[in-house]
Amino acid sequence: MNRLKNITKILVLLLFIGIMGTACKDKAGGGGLNFFSLKDDITFGAQVAAEIETDTDTYPILDSAQHQEAYAYLYAIRDSILNSGAVMHKDDFQWQLRLIGDDETLNAFCTPGGYIYVYTGLIKYLDSEDQFAGVMGHEIAHADERHSTAALTRQYGLDVLLSILLGDNQGTLVQIAKGLSSLSYSRDNETESDMRSVEYLYPTAYDARGAARFFEKLEEEGEGGTPQFLSTHPNPDNRVEAILTHWESLGGKEGETFESRYTQFKNSLPQ
Ligand SMILES: [Zn+2]
């Protein structure tokens, strides 16, 4: 009887190890362990987004009712990406988009569960809609591939994140929300998001090399110091080349840049 018990224990243990192995592999997202479930990402994302909405000093969000045309323009870009058929969690996540009125910050970010934030500083820096769509695709990929919760687990530890999920740790939630715009991803995650950006844009009217054009522009213009986007999105070697190679492997289809309507959009933003 004891022997049977032991065998049962071993079988249960083996089963557990098997499940854990699969879970780690599935959720690692190339950036280390991620014990969050999809549902956790959704819950956590909603908590963080609610906190961001209230922290108007850190995140001066432009009101969507007062800036309807700007939001309509941004929603159209977002929806082209979401309707590409390449976004895995299109129907699972919110994909809420907020425009942050800060011309000094050249950045964009996306929380777990798909809350997208773009700074007017980034929009005004870019030259064309495909560049912007490329960057938005890259940010959407961080949420879609669930990189953010992997990165947050590395930074804060699982216990802290779980306590927030349970509603027990408002102080750290506030801190995390403040730091989200400067959350740093692993190089593997960066490469993966670059590749996804190409895949998301490829079926759309956009030129799928938009993100590469943004990186080229940053390199060429030097930007006096490191723009926030690059400090939070480490620059793997040959980032541009990797994007171009991936684009070629998909067939090398050239798309639209929509430069003139993008210029009109930029000029319509508050100065
Ligand atoms: Zn990134």
Side-chain angles (χ1 to χ4, degrees), residues 138 142 185 190 233:
H138 176 99
H142 278 315
Y185 293 101
E190 286 308 312
H233 300 72

Side-chain angles (χ1 to χ4, degrees), residues 27 34-48 89 92-94 111-115 142-150 152-153 161 165:
K27 294 175 183 175
N34 185 355
F35 290 99
F36 265 47
S37 67
L38 189 66
K39 199 167 153 279
D40 293 339
D41 266 44
I42 294 167
T43 307
F44 189 76
Q47 289 175 310
V48 163
H89 296 302
D92 299 319
F93 291 167
Q94 288 292 324
T111 74
Y115 297 80
H142 278 315
D144 200 36
E145 293 291 340
R146 308 183 48 234
H147 295 158
S148 334
T149 34
L152 286 167
T153 305
L161 298 189
L165 272 175

